[in-house]
Amino acid sequence: MDIKNLFENEYLLLDGAMGTMLQKKGMPLGAIPETLNVTNPDWVIDVHRQYIREGSRVIYANTFGANSLKLAGSGYSVPELVGAAIQNARRAAEGSGAFVALDIGPIGQLLEPTGALTFEEAYEVFSKTVEAGRGADLIVIETMTDLYEAKAAVLAAKEHSDLPVFVTMTFEENRRTFTGCSVSAMCLTLEGLGVDALGVNCSLGPAELLPIVEEIARWTSLPIIVKPNAGLPDPETNAYNVLPEEFAAVCKKMLSFGARILGGCCGTNPSYIGKLREMLKEASEEGLFQNAAPDSVLSLCTPLKTVRISEPRVIGERINPTGKKRFREALAAEDMDYILSQAFSQIEAGADLLDVNVGAPGIDEAGMMVKTVKALQSVTDLPLQIDSTKPEVLEAALRVYNGKALVNSVNGEEASLRAILPLIKKYGAAVVCLTLDENGIPPKAEERFAIAEKIMKRALSFGIKKENILIDCLVLTVSAEQKAAMETLKAVRMVKEKLGLKTVLGVSNISFGLPNRLSINTSFFTMALYAGLDLPIMNPNVPSMMWAMKAYKALAAIDENSLGFISWSRDHEPDDVIVKKLRAELAGSVPKAPAAVPAGVPALDIRKAPLHPAGCSCPECAGLADEKRVREILKAMETGMKAEGRRLTAGYLKECDSMSIINKVLIPALDTVGEKFEKGRIFLPQLILAADVAKECFDEIKSSLSAGGTGAAKGKILLATVKGDIHDIGKNIVKVILENYGYEVLDLGRDVPPDTIVEATLREGIRLVGLSALMTTTLGSMEETIRRLRAAGADCRIMVGGAVLTPDYAKKIGADFYAKDAKQSADIAKEVLG
Amino acid sequence: MNAYKVKLNSLDGRDALRYLGLKEGLADPAMASLFEKCKARLLAVIDARYVYRVFPFAGGLLEGSAYQPRGGTIARHLAGAERVILLAATLGSGTDLLIRRSRFLGMTETMMVDALASEAIERVLDAAEAGIFSRLGPDPHTFRYSPGYGDLPLEGQKELLEVLDARKRIGLYVNESMLMTPSKSVTCLIGTGGNLRGEAKKTCRDCSLDGKCSFRQNGGTCYR
């Protein structure tokens, strides 16, 4: 009998705890339970038989921790223990018709971005266990707290076997796992990946799990698995507090939510399973059998955040190199900080989703996409729209994406449909479909609608759910084709009304070639929203566009009582004020508050001012102008006014060249701040506050250089936190300061192996290497790194820093410099690189 | 052995300011408001939990524990104790995410959040200690002594966490370099009962930086 038929129309009874049963039989504390498959097979078989006797239709083989990392050093291999475990389960099941599950638990090490184990490594570990366990009838992945790890396991299971896959994760009472994964994210992601059933096991008793099961039912149409603990352990005796009768009675309440596959976890034994069997028999007779009826509105997610597209939402378009030289340079230099800063400015501005496009000439797009997706999901929780024309890039991104993503895009061309739709299905994404085909973009709304309908049918035939299909009716430039705007909107309305699909538009394309683009954009945007646009792809940093969105939601009664509009008004300047300011600034008449003289800066001596005409460029006048600039910048730095720093710098760039701004304004200002820090007149936070402002000033200069095309860096410095250490705040502070002094910093990140540092130093011809370590336990790897750098003959000086280092120790491990703080690292850089 | 949650509703920020070297507080109103903003952000993401086990202590050994503390300073600290409590606490992974994320708002924010989180874990430990002794009875006890302090080796961290089943109970991991994740986490030992001789109040005596640290040079200590 096929196991899938078994839970299609009836309840399926699993087994209970294995570990505690083996302990009762005499398994010593601290032993690896999986080794008992070989040393004491009779014990394992007996436990299985007890559960089968009580009615278990599926027994979990004793393979929970049988992965290559946990078994390293145990003297056993994965195939050996998994093979024996399945054999034991088979023997126990003989003649009973019970099914045998390969049981896969967490690896026991944390995955990136929090831990060091990469997604790809986790996938390899799970693949080995799956390959060893192909003799089972199904695969159960359980007790997962990290959605990323669960995804690696599911991909391994599905790519290395044809067996059905069950997944259960472990939640706390706040309905989150330890890593913060929500119930909705689990359901959206795992159902998307094509698992056969999902649910929850361990950590809580049935009563505490009840609300979690209820929530699961709102997010999935799959059969729901529940394997509770026997209540909560008593703090003193460690005994569980729920008895079999009560256990079964509470589980019965879960049936009405769609719980269909039941068993027990920690603290349960065969009598719990026996009571569950009786309860399920009763429930079948009472006709309680229930299918879940989940939400059918499109939702996209990361583990921490689920964005339900129940109203218009903003896709931020700024992570895209098209037409942006500075962005292309960042891609070429793999400057992830710059890319992430683009993400953060959009998040602060109110984006709901982020578009990610890293396609540019000379870039390994797939590699860069993986790197960017991983970097983004390490710090942001907004769902991503993966944007590329290349199927291999989309697949690489979908693989490492943690959650349910949106893909941009597929179109009506046969080749596109064939290449992209299977990826959407396999990875459980949603997809934006462009209404164009082999013949290009049709002019008429009806023709675009026809393409939309065709793509929809094809997507459905691939098994993609209807809510995961979105249509982009394509915005053309109105200056080139004036009638196209209304055709696009008409098509949007048709798609919305006749197909019932969500719609997407890249709204800012509309105004190319026209003056006052903002006015065209905001008007068109509002028209599009009214026509049924759900997901505008736009720049959320443009205030009037966000205001248009907020206004539309208030007018369309989406924003109940206009509360959203009112709260937005509290935090944002109204449109007309912003425009007035911009105009005033452009006209050069922006009223400035009189600058208070910061403490410790000599006031400008008016008597020294030479009697020269305004705009004079003699050295004396230039010197005075620089002095004034230093004072202005210093004020911005000391008060932490980043925007002001940027504005001032932009002004200076119109008056003088970038190198003289750096050398005559920014660095003297930083030196003043640094001096105060050294004298103990200000403290680290204020130094850093100043550095943050200086960073903005440098960014302004950098983007003007990108536009002009000349580099300004004084020399390249490599920074890394050594292998084994994950503390990087200190290193990041040093980085900001060094960049402020005009050095280019190659930041290798944290937990960096010696070889990577040596390789990068040689490849880039680095002359100054900075190494950081915070722990006594990682000083060894700092020493090792220095030894390897010397052995490789790297022509570089090495500075080291970190809480536990001393000048003596730095000398002992062969470093050239000990930097006690970030300011000193800049002094060292000056000495080495000038 | 069970896992407990701790809810922090506020932080006074005094320790954080001290860690930041600002013993006179934040004079600048902009900095002060940033500090308050960081505090609110942090309190919103803290998901603090702790787990502990009480072991009978005799002849320098914890009975029935796979973890045994080694070294002279801890022996002196626990001398005379009848029981020893192993305790692990964490602020949870949300705090790490916030610290990582703060970097893109500015290093000032990062430092503030980091320092506030260090203060927060101390408050969580205070609450844990209070909770434990309300359950055990108000026996006199030593201050919390952590691996890495004095000559108590950091290398025992792995066994200590295994004894507490900390990965499963509170989501606390340790890597090969004995670094814990989530990073704002603490393990410690507390002696209680019997003829206790270890200090109840923290001192600088066993610290490797005794007298040399910037706190002491400025006339203070790193602890309250």
Side-chain angles (χ1 to χ4, degrees):
Chain A
M1 185 181 186
D2 184 352
I3 179 149
K4 282 191 186 175
N5 299 332
L6 204 61
F7 57 87
E8 203 59 45
N9 299 306
E10 55 182 308
Y11 299 117
L12 178 60
L13 186 57
L14 308 172
D15 60 7
M18 169 64 77
T20 39
M21 297 284 287
L22 291 176
Q23 272 167 25
K24 254 189 235 161
K25 286 185 175 289
M27 177 175 73
L29 270 172
I32 301 175
E34 291 75 22
T35 58
L36 269 67
N37 291 314
V38 174
T39 57
N40 301 67
D42 294 346
W43 291 3
V44 178
I45 292 170
D46 183 59
V47 174
H48 287 319
R49 284 203 175 125
Q50 289 186 46
Y51 282 122
I52 293 171
R53 223 173 285 137
E54 291 296 338
S56 293
R57 301 283 287 129
V58 173
I59 49 171
Y60 287 18
N62 183 25
T63 55
F64 182 82
N67 67 64
S68 52
L69 295 185
K70 270 194 186 166
L71 294 185
S74 71
Y76 293 96
S77 71
V78 171
E80 214 173 335
L81 291 190
V82 170
I86 295 205
Q87 210 176 4
N88 291 338
R90 283 272 177 242
R91 275 186 56 199
E94 236 164 33
S96 72
F99 293 92
V100 171
L102 170 69
D103 184 12
I104 298 181
I107 292 174
Q109 294 185 19
L110 268 180
L111 262 70
E112 57 185 340
T114 321
L117 192 68
T118 66
F119 178 79
E120 292 78 8
E121 286 164 348
Y123 171 83
E124 290 304 324
V125 169
F126 286 126
S127 298
K128 282 183 202 148
T129 303
V130 170
E131 276 172 13
R134 279 202 204 115
D137 300 307
L138 72 155
I139 295 173
V140 168
I141 296 160
E142 65 167 345
T143 327
M144 291 287 166
T145 55
D146 180 356
L147 185 62
Y148 213 25
E149 187 174 2
K151 175 168 179 174
V154 171
L155 285 177
K158 295 190 80 78
E159 291 175 354
H160 293 269
S161 82
D162 298 318
L163 300 176
V165 179
F166 287 9
V167 186
T168 53
M169 291 185 71
T170 297
F171 290 85
E172 301 304 309
E173 268 165 299
N174 60 1
R175 302 192 198 182
R176 297 265 176 172
T177 68
F178 280 138
T179 61
C181 176
S182 66
V183 168
S184 54
M186 168 183 81
C187 296
L188 291 165
T189 307
L190 297 179
E191 179 163 355
L193 289 170
V195 306
D196 296 278
L198 58 79
V200 55
N201 77 297
C202 205
S203 78
L204 299 169
E208 295 80 18
L209 285 181
L210 203 56
I212 295 172
V213 176
E214 187 179 2
E215 193 180 345
I216 292 175
R218 291 207 297 274
W219 290 102
T220 184
S221 54
L222 293 174
I224 297 171
I225 309 165
V226 191
K227 245 190 164 206
N229 286 349
L232 301 170
D234 182 282
E236 302 304 317
T237 63
N238 223 7
Y240 286 85
N241 63 358
V242 175
L243 296 173
E245 289 78 9
E246 189 191 343
F247 183 87
V250 182
C251 284
K252 188 171 180 182
K253 294 186 195 160
M254 298 175 184
L255 303 182
S256 61
F257 303 133
R260 201 185 294 176
I261 304 172
L262 288 96
C265 204
C266 303
T268 62
N269 59 43
S271 58
Y272 288 79
I273 299 305
K275 288 291 170 199
L276 274 183
R277 186 198 64 230
E278 289 168 20
M279 181 278 284
L280 290 176
K281 187 163 172 286
E282 266 171 42
S284 300
E285 287 161 8
E286 290 166 21
L288 280 181
F289 191 84
Q290 188 88 26
N291 280 314
D295 194 20
S296 60
V297 173
L298 169 66
S299 289
L300 300 159
C301 73
T302 62
L304 297 175
K305 189 168 198 136
T306 297
V307 176
R308 195 163 172 263
I309 317 299
S310 51
E311 57 183 89
R313 306 275 186 199
V314 173
I315 304 179
E317 68 183 2
R318 302 292 294 165
I319 305 178
N320 191 325
T322 312
K324 287 181 234 152
K325 189 158 185 226
R326 175 76 184 88
F327 200 106
R328 284 204 303 278
E329 280 174 4
L331 282 181
E334 303 202 357
D335 178 357
M336 298 317 286
D337 280 4
Y338 178 80
I339 297 172
L340 293 179
S341 71
Q342 296 294 305
F344 274 90
S345 67
Q346 296 183 89
I347 294 169
E348 296 274 298
D352 298 300
L353 307 160
L354 296 176
D355 180 79
V356 187
N357 183 321
V358 293
I363 301 288
D364 162 23
E365 193 182 340
M368 195 60 205
M369 182 61 106
V370 166
K371 212 170 164 186
T372 307
V373 167
K374 285 188 174 185
L376 282 167
Q377 62 196 12
S378 75
V379 289
T380 77
D381 53 15
L382 291 198
L384 303 181
Q385 168 170 270
I386 316 285
D387 184 357
S388 173
T389 50
K390 299 186 180 126
E392 67 275 15
V393 174
L394 294 176
E395 171 147 34
L398 286 169
R399 230 180 146 70
V400 300
Y401 179 76
N402 192 5
K404 178 177 175 183
L406 182 57
V407 165
N408 195 337
S409 57
V410 68
N411 65 51
E413 287 179 60
E414 192 52 35
S416 171
L417 294 169
R418 278 194 196 172
I420 311 278
L421 292 178
L423 297 177
I424 304 302
K425 171 66 182 158
K426 176 176 178 187
Y427 294 100
V431 64
V432 175
C433 313
L434 308 186
T435 54
L436 59 86
D437 59 14
E438 287 83 353
N439 305 316
I441 305 173
K444 286 287 176 206
E446 290 73 12
E447 297 164 296
R448 291 191 207 172
F449 175 82
I451 296 176
E453 194 171 24
K454 176 183 100 174
I455 303 177
M456 182 186 82
K457 283 184 180 155
R458 280 296 287 280
L460 291 173
S461 77
F462 274 92
I464 296 168
K465 282 190 177 177
K466 191 173 168 186
E467 66 252 31
N468 293 334
I469 306 167
L470 298 90
I471 305 293
D472 184 340
C473 295
L474 299 169
V475 170
L476 301 176
T477 307
V478 79
S479 60
E481 285 187 66
Q482 199 177 3
K483 289 187 177 155
M486 293 312 282
E487 287 299 323
T488 299
L489 297 182
K490 187 175 172 191
V492 167
R493 192 175 292 277
M494 289 174 75
V495 164
K496 200 70 195 268
E497 285 172 0
K498 295 189 181 169
L499 299 180
L501 300 181
K502 299 279 180 205
T503 61
V504 179
L505 285 177
V507 280
S508 17
N509 299 350
I510 192 81
S511 60
F512 278 122
L514 284 177
N516 195 3
R517 290 188 59 185
L518 202 53
S519 151
I520 296 279
N521 285 350
T522 47
S523 301
F524 177 72
F525 179 34
T526 307
M527 291 161 79
L529 287 168
Y530 185 55
L533 173 61
D534 297 293
L535 290 169
I537 305 175
M538 58 180 246
N539 183 356
N541 300 109
V542 177
S544 12
M545 292 293 277
M546 293 305 284
W547 275 112
M549 175 73 133
K550 302 291 165 188
Y552 173 78
K553 285 190 186 181
L555 294 169
I558 294 166
D559 173 10
E560 215 174 311
N561 297 323
S562 306
L563 290 179
F565 188 82
I566 292 165
S567 87
W568 186 262
S569 307
R570 233 175 267 133
D571 302 335
H572 298 80
E573 291 190 310
D575 241 1
D576 48 343
V577 173
I578 297 169
V579 171
K580 239 184 242 167
K581 274 196 186 162
L582 277 173
R583 287 221 180 100
E585 203 166 317
L586 286 173
S589 66
V590 61
K592 273 185 216 146
V597 180
V601 182
L604 189 62
D605 186 352
I606 196 76
R607 284 164 305 177
K608 280 203 305 195
L611 295 167
H612 290 189
C616 169
S617 60
C618 78
E620 209 174 345
C621 288
L624 273 174
D626 284 337
E627 208 175 299
K628 175 173 158 280
R629 290 183 189 120
V630 171
R631 282 154 35 80
E632 287 172 344
I633 284 285
L634 203 50
K635 173 164 184 280
M637 284 183 180
E638 295 194 330
T639 48
M641 291 158 68
K642 295 185 200 170
E644 176 69 2
R646 210 172 241 282
R647 200 189 62 77
L648 287 170
T649 311
Y652 302 158
L653 280 165
K654 288 183 198 141
E655 297 160 5
C656 41
D657 71 282
S658 50
M659 276 323 285
S660 69
I661 298 177
I662 294 175
N663 290 325
K664 292 183 183 159
V665 181
L666 295 178
I667 291 185
L670 277 169
D671 280 342
T672 306
V673 176
E675 209 173 294
K676 285 188 191 179
F677 171 72
E678 278 175 349
K679 288 187 180 150
R681 289 187 16 228
I682 61 167
F683 296 93
L684 194 53
Q686 289 131 318
L687 176 71
I688 299 304
L689 192 70
D692 279 341
V693 175
K695 185 168 179 295
E696 295 286 321
C697 302
F698 274 95
D699 277 354
E700 188 63 38
I701 291 174
K702 259 194 199 166
S703 35
S704 83
L705 288 178
S706 292
T710 45
K714 292 204 272 185
K716 210 182 227 183
I717 301 170
L718 182 150
L719 290 184
T721 299
V722 298
K723 176 82 193 148
D725 208 323
I726 53 169
H727 294 90
D728 60 359
I729 294 180
K731 182 214 70 195
N732 293 340
I733 290 174
V734 171
K735 178 182 179 186
V736 171
I737 301 278
L738 289 175
E739 284 181 338
N740 281 346
Y741 276 89
Y743 299 103
E744 192 182 337
V745 175
L746 178 63
D747 179 6
L748 296 186
R750 51 187 198 166
D751 195 17
V752 187
D755 289 345
T756 312
I757 295 171
V758 172
E759 190 270 325
T761 304
L762 297 176
R763 172 169 43 87
E764 303 277 335
I766 302 280
R767 286 165 50 215
L768 180 60
V769 172
L771 301 176
S772 163
L774 192 93
M775 307 271 290
T776 47
T777 45
T778 52
L779 287 177
S781 75
M782 181 179 266
E783 186 173 3
E784 172 71 7
T785 306
I786 295 174
R787 205 181 53 71
R788 296 258 198 111
L789 276 167
R790 303 295 189 213
D795 181 21
C796 66
R797 313 286 288 279
I798 301 167
M799 59 176 171
V800 296
V804 292
L805 274 165
T806 59
D808 288 345
Y809 194 85
K811 201 180 281 173
K812 194 183 133 213
I813 61 174
D816 298 302
F817 303 97
Y818 163 73
K820 77 172 164 43
D821 55 37
K823 173 68 175 60
Q824 204 171 45
S825 71
D827 297 341
I828 293 167
K830 247 185 237 173
E831 185 184 329
V832 176
L833 301 172
Chain B
M1 179 176 44
N2 202 348
Y4 296 86
K5 290 191 69 160
V6 174
K7 176 92 185 106
L8 285 187
N9 294 314
S10 63
L11 280 174
D12 63 26
R14 280 197 290 142
D15 289 341
L17 290 175
R18 206 171 40 231
Y19 302 152
L20 290 168
L22 297 168
K23 60 179 172 161
E24 271 132 52
L26 290 158
D28 181 41
M31 288 275 272
S33 106
L34 190 61
F35 191 65
E36 288 306 312
K37 207 183 279 177
C38 290
K39 208 188 270 184
R41 279 192 180 144
L42 176 67
L43 285 170
V45 300
I46 288 178
D47 181 20
R49 289 158 204 274
Y50 69 92
V51 62
Y52 70 97
R53 260 179 98 170
V54 186
F55 291 95
F57 185 69
L61 291 174
L62 275 63
E63 278 174 33
S65 165
Y67 167 75
Q68 295 298 342
R70 288 181 285 123
T73 58
I74 188 69
R76 193 169 49 191
H77 188 71
L78 298 177
E82 204 167 57
R83 286 174 296 168
V84 169
I85 296 154
L86 299 186
L87 166 64
T90 178
L91 296 186
S93 58
T95 302
D96 282 4
L97 177 63
L98 179 67
I99 293 172
R100 278 205 301 275
R101 188 182 286 183
S102 301
R103 184 171 158 219
F104 295 92
L105 302 171
M107 284 310 299
T108 319
E109 281 91 332
T110 313
M111 291 180 52
M112 285 184 173
V113 173
D114 188 68
L116 283 162
S118 298
E119 173 173 328
I121 188 68
E122 289 301 321
R123 296 295 81 76
V124 168
L125 287 160
D126 290 345
E129 200 176 306
I132 292 168
F133 287 97
S134 77
R135 284 183 284 270
L136 293 180
D139 284 348
H141 54 272
T142 67
F143 73 82
R144 307 184 291 259
Y145 206 99
S146 293
Y149 193 62
D151 65 1
L152 178 61
L154 203 52
E155 283 71 16
Q157 200 81 282
K158 201 161 247 175
E159 284 82 43
L160 200 166
L161 290 171
E162 256 164 43
V163 165
L164 292 175
D165 200 9
R167 183 167 63 75
K168 203 171 143 194
R169 307 248 171 210
I170 59 172
L172 180 52
Y173 289 69
V174 62
N175 77 1
E176 293 305 318
S177 321
M178 303 300 146
L179 290 179
M180 289 184 285
T181 353
S183 64
K184 295 295 172 187
S185 303
V186 168
T187 55
C188 59
L189 294 86
I190 302 172
T192 183
N195 183 18
L196 210 56
R197 291 196 291 280
E199 286 90 350
K201 185 102 184 57
K202 187 149 185 184
T203 74
C204 294
R205 193 190 57 212
D206 291 344
C207 180
S208 55
L209 292 174
D210 186 10
K212 292 182 296 227
C213 74
S214 56
F215 299 103
R216 287 290 295 278
Q217 281 168 2
N218 291 320
T221 57
C222 69
Y223 50 87
R224 275 189 192 184

